[in-house]
Amino acid sequence: MQTAWNQRWIERRGIYRPADEVINTRRYEVSPIQGDAIAKAFITRHHYSGTYPAARYRFGLYHSQELVGVAVFSHPSNDKVLAIFPGRPIESAELGRFVLNDTVPGNGETWFLARCFELLRHAGIIGIVSFSDQIARQAFDGRTIFAGHVGTIYQAHNATYLGRATARRLKILPDGTVLSDRTVQKIRAQEKGHQYATRLLETFGAEPISGCPVAWLDQWLPKLTRPLAHPGNHKYAWMLQKAHRRHLLASAPFPKFVPTAKQLGLFA
């Protein structure tokens, strides 16, 4: 029975391919992507979240000159996320987005990730941290837009598993995406970017904001979001520079994921 599956994305819909499929590497190329435009367009088109992180490094996976995958390495919102690595936080990075479309064979992810790590190693990056989210997301109409994953490709690429990140309570929007606490705070305090955050809620039916933003949030958040108790994402790390590998903690046992019959129905 096939028990290892790798996730793919196409038009913000998650599907699975068996992890033991072999990629013909002679037909693929990995190259840095200059600027955000190309990487952002690919990720917002295909990834279920529709969002793009604050990118530091961007790499593309190409097949016959067609872009079929993008990896974006970013800086986390809190420097403490990178405190597991020696050196300054800026010397390490987070794998913020890793998206391959449904044409790429199963083990294409680990090959692509290895090529990205080689390029980052030559750039002097010390360590990489990444998170996987096992908790599925459903839109209000019942559609599963994200089936969850435990980081199978990270495990296959010899990651150190560091357990779960902090448990939290999420706010789920009608389309199944997460309304972040940071977005809510921008509205509450009328910080830079609050107009975009307000328009996001308006697209789901909120009336234009008027008067006190706190009162507006108190009125619309209960109507437009559902709470989701989240146990915390799985956390993985890699030490790219051999001289520092002794500093990384020992790996805990890897979590495992076996798709349900419904999830396998998404396999193409």
Side-chain angles (χ1 to χ4, degrees):
M1 177 181 177
Q2 176 74 46
T3 59
W5 301 86
N6 287 340
Q7 194 165 45
R8 296 289 183 270
W9 295 100
I10 188 70
E11 302 291 349
R12 298 179 68 177
R13 182 174 66 93
I15 65 171
Y16 290 88
R17 298 193 71 105
D20 56 6
E21 287 184 328
V22 179
I23 186 173
N24 185 343
T25 57
R26 291 176 297 178
R27 297 182 178 178
Y28 290 84
E29 179 183 357
V30 177
S31 299
I33 298 175
Q34 302 301 320
D36 285 320
I38 294 173
K40 183 175 183 179
F42 187 92
I43 287 172
T44 55
R45 175 183 175 185
H46 293 297
H47 194 261
Y48 89 96
S49 70
T51 61
Y52 183 75
R56 292 181 57 202
Y57 300 91
R58 313 152 201 82
F59 302 102
L61 177 66
Y62 294 88
H63 179 259
S64 300
Q65 299 185 328
E66 177 188 359
L67 184 64
V68 295
V70 170
V72 173
F73 295 84
S74 55
H75 194 83
S77 57
N78 191 327
D79 285 350
K80 292 181 180 179
V81 172
L82 302 175
I84 57 175
F85 302 116
R88 298 171 299 156
I90 197 65
E91 295 177 281
S92 296
E94 178 180 354
L95 178 55
R97 289 288 183 272
F98 192 74
V99 182
L100 279 68
N101 72 20
D102 58 339
T103 66
V104 182
N107 77 338
E109 289 174 312
T110 51
W111 183 80
F112 181 29
L113 190 63
R115 304 291 83 72
C116 293
F117 281 6
E118 286 179 6
L119 294 169
L120 291 169
R121 187 178 297 112
H122 289 307
I125 294 298
I126 293 174
I128 297 295
V129 66
S130 189
F131 297 89
S132 67
D133 188 348
Q134 190 177 0
I135 306 304
R137 304 280 193 279
Q138 284 82 34
F140 284 12
D141 62 9
R143 290 177 297 116
T144 297
I145 65 163
F146 173 56
H149 71 109
V150 297
T152 301
I153 64 159
Y154 306 153
Q155 299 173 16
H157 198 55
N158 300 316
T160 295
Y161 177 59
L162 299 176
R164 287 190 180 272
T166 304
R168 53 210 169 110
R169 193 170 180 83
L170 304 180
K171 297 178 180 67
I172 305 300
L173 290 163
D175 65 351
T177 59
V178 176
L179 179 67
S180 71
D181 291 339
R182 185 72 186 103
T183 298
V184 173
Q185 177 58 27
K186 286 181 180 180
I187 298 173
R188 191 182 306 277
Q190 295 292 278
E191 298 177 11
K192 182 180 180 180
H194 70 88
Q195 297 94 338
Y196 170 81
T198 301
R199 287 195 298 271
L200 175 63
L201 289 179
E202 289 174 359
T203 63
F204 293 109
E207 296 175 356
I209 191 169
S210 62
C212 175
V214 175
W216 185 82
L217 286 169
D218 289 343
Q219 176 186 358
W220 289 105
L221 285 182
K223 296 179 180 179
L224 299 178
T225 66
R226 292 177 179 174
L228 174 65
H230 196 291
N233 291 335
H234 296 292
K235 184 176 182 179
Y236 294 89
W238 297 264
M239 196 75 77
L240 301 189
Q241 304 296 336
K242 291 182 179 180
H244 296 299
R245 287 179 182 170
R246 68 183 184 278
H247 295 287
L248 196 56
L249 298 174
S251 181
F254 289 143
K256 297 301 179 184
F257 171 61
V258 178
T260 64
K262 182 177 180 181
Q263 290 165 344
L264 290 182
L266 298 175
F267 167 63

